[in-house]
Amino acid sequence: MSTGLWGRFEQQDFRSRVRGTLLGAAIGDALGTPTGPGRATDLGPDRAAGQGPAAGAGFGGPGLGAGFGGPGLGAGFGGPGRAADGTAGYGTAGYGTAGYGARGRIGAATQLTLFTVDGLIRAHVRRDTGAWHPPTDIHRAYLRWAATQHDWGPDERRKDNGWLAQQEWLYTRRNPDRASMTGFADDVIGTLDKPKNPTAGDAAAATRSAPFGLLVGWEPALVLQLAVECAAQSHGHPGAYLSAGAFAVIVHGLTRGDSPDSAVLRALGLLAARPGHQPVTDALQRALSAVTQGPPTPERIKALSPTADAEHTLSVAVYCALVAEDIAHGLQLAVDHAGDPAAAGALCGALLGALHGETALPAARLAELEGRATLLELADDFALEMTQGPALHGAAHSVPGWMDKYPPL
């Protein structure tokens, strides 16, 4: 039976890749958590210099170009720190040890990724009201995440909580980066014209951006734009928000069945038109080049990650995904370096999960993963919304349980 353009096989394949992406990212996040320095350290010197943000076509922010149909726009659419030396890795004091007091505990990257998915679902639900501005819905979702970082538990007086913000296990700090904490400390939304934290260049914005790549019905250029705009809500350095956009485009290609090389090349092509793209472009090209230089070695990975900047962390993740024998091997490589292992693990896990689907994930790591039930339910809900949204809500009919879970507020 076909649902629109989605046949039964296509729906099953898509759901497997969505699950693989979210679970793979969470496993990588958990594996890398005990092994490296905090995200605020080991950044390149240019980050302190604060390169200016680039403006571009957008989703309806002031001064932006064609987007989602807002006023004046063009056509729219229908815990504990890591090891001090940062060297512990797979098979030593890092990989497989207990982060945040137990094996399999996820970090802030996974928390934020969950809220990215929640925001995307609610953006599609809210479109029935005539409103269509996904960056606003994503920002509201991140504000709900921010509440989990300072509240004791869910505030049942909040009408906009929905299902995810009612999950009590999320109300804990797991080493969130400073830019995310300050970027979502108030209701002001950062844009490409006026981004939050213009010198924030770490990979935290990228690690929460995999869900944008799961919008397989969108054109890659629009996936890039949405990811970039939402990254600038907390990370205003071009290296950070363009890395987030490039990562989302690669996930998008893999989820649609492209080869890893093709997905990376498409991201490079889209980056070329963006001001400030060169560091990210160079980092991705170095990853592609390193693949041809022989089997992976610690020295080769170290050369790709001279700092914990977003583009270097993305370069490591892409390289490890390209050379991986399987998902476990790719994650092993990604977390065994001194840059930002948790971020590299999360990025690599998402790429490999999108490529291979959930059944290729390492069973032992999956079995002990914190929050697996929540991740699975949210992944399935996202797949359901993307493939069968009109059956769940619309102008004439809505499923009450769905609207309670993802209120259009």
Side-chain angles (χ1 to χ4, degrees):
M1 180 178 178
S2 176
T3 303
L5 297 177
W6 292 90
R8 184 175 179 181
F9 172 79
E10 287 79 13
Q11 291 185 54
Q12 291 173 340
D13 180 71
F14 178 61
R15 185 176 68 176
S16 177
R17 291 177 190 268
V18 172
R19 285 182 167 190
T21 300
L22 299 185
L23 292 170
I27 292 172
D29 180 27
L31 290 178
T33 290
T35 67
R39 285 194 177 97
T41 63
D42 293 343
L43 295 176
D46 64 313
R47 297 312 189 245
Q51 297 177 14
F59 289 82
L64 300 181
F68 282 83
L73 300 178
F77 285 88
R82 303 185 182 107
D85 62 1
T87 57
Y90 183 81
T92 60
Y95 188 94
T97 61
Y100 307 115
R103 287 165 60 95
R105 291 283 178 90
I106 55 97
T110 301
Q111 292 178 333
L112 277 159
T113 299
L114 287 167
F115 280 93
T116 303
V117 177
D118 179 65
L120 287 173
I121 294 175
R122 289 168 72 159
H124 284 77
V125 172
R126 197 164 73 95
R127 184 165 53 178
D128 292 340
T129 68
W132 179 236
H133 190 249
T136 295
D137 294 286
I138 296 299
H139 185 251
R140 290 172 176 171
Y142 292 154
L143 294 180
R144 291 191 290 275
W145 166 81
T148 70
Q149 303 302 290
H150 55 70
D151 289 352
W152 287 101
D155 184 349
E156 296 186 0
R157 296 169 298 180
R158 291 189 56 168
K159 301 297 184 182
D160 67 332
N161 265 345
W163 171 75
L164 183 63
Q166 293 173 352
Q167 304 304 304
E168 292 190 9
W169 71 276
L170 289 172
Y171 285 77
T172 180
R173 285 197 182 187
R174 296 291 174 80
N175 195 26
D177 65 289
R178 182 180 297 274
S180 293
M181 292 295 290
T182 59
F184 304 122
D186 55 45
D187 293 340
V188 178
I189 183 170
T191 67
L192 286 173
D193 284 340
K194 295 182 178 179
K196 293 286 188 76
N197 302 310
T199 62
D202 60 81
T207 59
R208 67 180 189 238
S209 297
F212 301 123
L214 300 175
L215 297 168
V216 295
W218 292 30
E219 290 301 315
L222 291 168
V223 170
L224 175 72
Q225 182 63 31
L226 179 58
V228 164
E229 290 203 21
C230 292
Q233 293 176 5
S234 63
H235 288 68
H237 192 282
Y241 62 69
L242 291 177
S243 291
F247 171 61
V249 170
I250 298 171
V251 171
H252 184 256
L254 296 175
T255 307
R256 294 174 75 167
D258 292 347
S259 70
D261 286 345
S262 296
V264 176
L265 291 174
R266 178 174 291 107
L268 285 169
L270 291 172
L271 283 174
R274 296 279 175 160
H277 74 91
Q278 202 60 54
V280 183
T281 294
D282 290 346
L284 288 174
Q285 289 176 336
R286 283 194 295 270
L288 291 175
S289 177
V291 174
T292 67
Q293 297 171 10
T297 64
E299 292 75 21
R300 191 160 290 127
I301 293 174
K302 182 178 180 180
L304 293 173
S305 57
T307 73
D309 294 342
E311 63 266 26
H312 296 142
T313 305
L314 177 61
S315 179
V316 168
V318 168
Y319 170 76
C320 293
L322 288 171
V323 301
E325 299 171 1
D326 54 29
I327 294 181
H329 178 235
L331 291 176
Q332 170 186 336
L333 294 172
V335 302
D336 193 13
H337 72 101
D340 191 343
L347 296 173
C348 182
L351 295 173
L352 290 171
L355 176 63
H356 297 294
E358 62 169 323
T359 58
L361 296 170
R365 301 300 174 188
L366 194 58
E368 64 187 9
L369 181 64
E370 180 187 26
R372 179 160 61 104
T374 301
L375 282 156
L376 280 170
E377 184 165 353
L378 196 62
D380 288 355
D381 282 357
F382 180 85
L384 198 61
E385 175 64 35
M386 295 303 112
T387 61
Q388 301 190 52
L392 299 169
H393 55 86
H397 168 75
S398 293
V399 177
W402 195 257
M403 304 303 286
D404 290 340
K405 202 172 186 180
Y406 303 105
L409 301 174

